[in-house]
Amino acid sequence: MRAVDVAGTALSNTMRSKMRTFLTVIAIVIGAFTLTLTSGIGAGINRYVDDMVAGFGETDEMYVMPGADQQAMGGGQAGPQEYDAGEAGGPSGSYGQSMLSEEDIESISELDGVTAVDPIVFVSPEYLEISDGTQYALDGLGVPADAPAMELAAGETPDPEADEITVPRSWLTAFDEGAEDAEEADPQAAIGETVDVGVRDMAQEVQTVEATVVGVSEEDLAGIGSSPMPSQALHEELHELQSSGAQVEQEESYAQAVIQVEDLAAQEDELKSELADEGLMGMTLDDMLGVVRGIINTVTWVLSGFALIALLAASFGIVNTLLMSVQERTREIGLMKALGMSRGRVFGLFSMEAVMIGVMGSVIGVGLGAGVGLAANAALVSGPLSNVAGLTLFALAPGALIAIIALILVIAFLAGTLPAARAAQKNPIDALRYE
């Protein structure tokens, strides 16, 4: 009997008791459906995270910030330590937060493999004034280093060497007077507008810088694009004004620095060690987002565990279905063996019936899961979550779908081995006498 004939016979045999087969298939469908959804959600969110990583910068970049001094925090000490001004560390920012000094920047630039150092400062502007004189309060500005990761509704990212700025989509009502809300507003209405950014200096005097709006940004899950994004030149100019006006010259300090490394993959561990020796901490984009990926993968595996439990329950359904089938077809089995069918072929026939149940359940479950996932993703991304730029909640991974189907077929085959073995071991004479 050819493999095609065995498969056809097995399929027709499973349809003898349609209700029993249907209920068994439904149990497999539930497991396959859940596995498809969870793997798709994990793939979709990880793809979104990868897109964010790709937009943040090049793979040869590392972020450097003040390191966490465990002894300074009291870790492993028997008691309080005397204060030593010479070892107290660099300058402090708001609320005593450690900052990078000019000496730190110089030390970083001298490390082997470092080709460029870009210190990052934070600016706290007061307002943004549009052409009609209306002033809008600013909680903060974006960091120019994040500009490549920004999703744009219109226009372009600011030229690093020009006084340019982007505004978030939520600000469009200020530029398009005829629009009732930001979704109805025309993004092009803001492009080319001239605005003034006001910042308070050390003497508490407000200074302004004129800038041109060149883009309209969409907010993503990381918050990039939710605030006006200045160019590097505008950002530095605002920082200089913010730091001016003091009677005593202030020491320059930085929240962090972005460094470029000649061969980051080869030097990453050594560079981090050298930074730690300087009391600093280096982190790549993968380091920063590794925790996020870990959480996503953990949740995906937990949900997949529930799907596997459903498949385990379904495997007992397959065992029960085939055992009942063997019992009902005892005389048929005896006749097949009396006509010369070997134990191996009997075993193969009943194993194939289990596999056919697995095929039906897996194909229906995976297809249903993929359809529901794609439909839900389209509905959410274009509906309640439309304000999150570039969001992907569900993505099809062909390799994962094939693996799910293969896993279910293996489970179905293993579940069918017991009934198949029982059928193969039946004595043909006893089977023919069975009532």
Side-chain angles (χ1 to χ4, degrees), residues 10 168 347:
F347 179 88

Side-chain angles (χ1 to χ4, degrees), residues 235-369:
H235 190 260
E236 292 176 355
E237 192 171 349
L238 290 170
H239 175 67
E240 289 178 4
L241 290 176
Q242 181 178 269
S243 305
S244 66
Q247 296 181 352
V248 180
E249 185 177 352
Q250 300 291 314
E251 180 183 356
E252 194 67 69
S253 60
Y254 309 97
Q256 57 181 295
V258 179
I259 65 174
Q260 291 186 348
V261 186
E262 189 173 348
D263 188 359
L264 181 58
Q267 302 187 63
E268 181 179 343
D269 293 337
E270 182 180 353
L271 189 56
K272 286 180 178 179
S273 178
E274 292 178 356
L275 288 170
D277 292 340
E278 298 288 340
L280 306 173
M281 178 173 60
M283 296 184 69
T284 63
L285 290 173
D286 285 337
D287 292 334
M288 295 180 184
L289 295 174
V291 175
V292 176
R293 288 197 183 98
I295 293 173
I296 294 170
N297 292 334
T298 299
V299 172
T300 300
W301 278 109
V302 169
L303 294 177
S304 297
F306 288 107
L308 291 174
I309 292 174
L311 289 177
L312 181 61
S315 68
F316 286 104
I318 293 175
V319 173
N320 181 64
T321 297
L322 291 185
L323 282 176
M324 294 180 66
S325 179
V326 169
Q327 189 72 16
E328 293 171 353
R329 294 157 57 191
T330 299
R331 296 191 67 182
E332 179 184 333
I333 294 170
L335 181 59
M336 288 189 294
K337 298 189 76 172
L339 292 175
M341 183 174 284
S342 65
R343 288 187 176 185
R345 289 189 177 277
V346 173
F347 179 88
L349 179 61
F350 280 88
S351 295
M352 182 60 73
E353 292 183 23
V355 171
M356 293 306 298
I357 293 175
V359 168
M360 290 186 285
S362 61
V363 170
I364 295 173
V366 168
L368 190 61

Side-chain angles (χ1 to χ4, degrees), residues 201-223:
D201 62 19
M202 301 296 289
Q204 299 302 303
E205 296 290 336
V206 176
Q207 308 285 344
T208 62
V209 179
E210 186 176 270
T212 302
V213 178
V214 295
V216 177
S217 61
E218 301 274 12
E219 181 180 2
D220 63 17
L221 284 180

